[in-house]
Amino acid sequence: MNVAVQNFKGAEPLPYTPEIARATRDLYTKVAHVIPEIEWPVFAPYVDAINKLKKQRNAVILGHNYMTPEIFNCVSDFTGDSLQLAREAARTDAQVIVQAGVHFMAETSKILSPSKTVLIPDVKAGCSLAASITGADVRLLRQKYPGLPVVTYVNTSADVKAESDVCCTSSNAVAVVEEIAREFGVDTVIMVPDKYLAQNVAKQTKIKVITYDGACEVHERFTPQDIRDFRAANPGVVVLTHPECPPDVVAEADFSGSTSAMIGYVGNHHPQKVVLVTECSMSDNVAVEFPDVEFVRPCNLCPYMKRITLPKILHSLQTMTTEVLVDPAIATRAKAAVDRMLAVKIPVQKAA
Ligand code: 13P
Ligand code: SF4
């Protein structure tokens, strides 16, 4: 039984009628490769109800690449990595944004679209990186390193973003670091909170990077030995890692990039066999798009991303909860850091 079905425990089962079977047939055809037929009657009534209700509410669902396949493929209006979802949040015309992702992503959407109603289907969908640092920690770093710009990963609270000069995601971090160093006329930046992302960025630029002691609890668990074991067990496998992995893990990979950069790599290179060293749902979602590629599936689950389920998305739209609010004074300062990031152009060879 897959993770999404297990997460339905306790949720009200909705009837699977012949009308729903007909209405969702095309969607099932799309995901048949990764969702067993026996599980579809559990998902389909929710998919149908969510897709009807989101139209009535003038809502869009922004689905991160780590969502389970029935959320990613069957109810999300836009999918992508953190940077792509932030861009969508900034330009959507919909009045309501349902964030099928974690809390910091919903806050970023609210910061970028303050007049919209932003909903998170489970407020406990946090992030170990966001929990590792506060605004006060950033102020202390500024005292310790006066004059140096602070580059903050988007995986942080609005409070932390508000204390920062610029934000970054894993798809633009090198370009952001180089641009902010140029603007400040310095050769060193402070980068918080992910020490591994910061160390991986430092290897790709001449700018010196002062790091902080945060880590993603999903990616820090991978080891270089894991990569060697995947290769030994699967001769010829292509290994793609996320830059939240420790540098000695990234060093063993064929390519490292954001979740969307990994998808781009699979699309451009069509490897016969690939392992995505990241969160578990990624392989299912990429396999829907590239059914001919074989995915080796060792992975780690993000317990926060997996809190988002179809029943919770439906409940969120029915009750218009839980609304994510950001203090306007904090939001204004956080928006300046996010907007500065969105203005940075990513050189073509460094994009996905
Ligand atoms: P990206 O999708 O931006 O690569 O981020 C990965 C992640 O861990 C988000 O929480
Ligand atoms: Fe946070 Fe890591 Fe989960 Fe992303 S995968 S939400 S960085 S804990």
Side-chain angles (χ1 to χ4, degrees), residues 64-66 80-83 102 104-105 153 155 169-170 216 219 242 244 258-260 305:
H64 186 263
N65 291 329
Y66 291 160
D81 65 10
S82 312
L83 183 62
V102 289
F104 74 79
M105 295 176 176
Y153 198 25
N155 298 35
T169 74
S170 55
C216 160
H219 292 93
H242 193 278
E244 290 170 7
S258 78
T259 53
S260 288
M305 291 279 181

Side-chain angles (χ1 to χ4, degrees), residues 76-115:
S76 297
D77 298 284
F78 298 99
T79 55
D81 65 10
S82 312
L83 183 62
Q84 290 167 321
L85 296 186
R87 289 196 197 281
E88 282 309 333
R91 71 176 149 231
T92 183
D93 289 332
Q95 189 40 47
V96 178
I97 296 172
V98 180
Q99 199 80 38
V102 289
H103 194 267
F104 74 79
M105 295 176 176
E107 269 194 347
T108 305
S109 294
K110 183 68 183 175
I111 289 164
L112 288 167
S113 286
S115 63

Side-chain angles (χ1 to χ4, degrees), residues 147-229:
L148 293 187
V150 176
V151 179
T152 292
Y153 198 25
V154 283
N155 298 35
T156 45
S157 67
D159 220 21
V160 172
K161 291 183 176 78
E163 297 293 339
S164 311
D165 295 294
V166 64
C167 288
C168 73
T169 74
S170 55
S171 45
N172 62 12
V174 176
V176 167
V177 161
E178 291 180 348
E179 176 59 23
I180 200 78
R182 195 188 59 74
E183 284 178 28
F184 274 63
V186 293
D187 66 358
T188 307
V189 305
I190 302 164
M191 194 168 171
V192 298
D194 188 342
K195 62 182 169 193
Y196 296 134
L197 177 69
Q199 288 162 8
N200 286 320
V201 167
K203 289 188 168 202
Q204 297 171 63
T205 175
K206 292 194 172 71
I207 306 298
K208 289 194 259 321
V209 181
I210 295 169
T211 62
Y212 184 81
D213 194 20
C216 160
E217 69 181 56
V218 175
H219 292 93
E220 73 174 341
R221 296 211 303 271
F222 293 108
T223 66
Q225 189 57 46
D226 289 338
I227 312 291
R228 293 193 281 270
D229 291 346

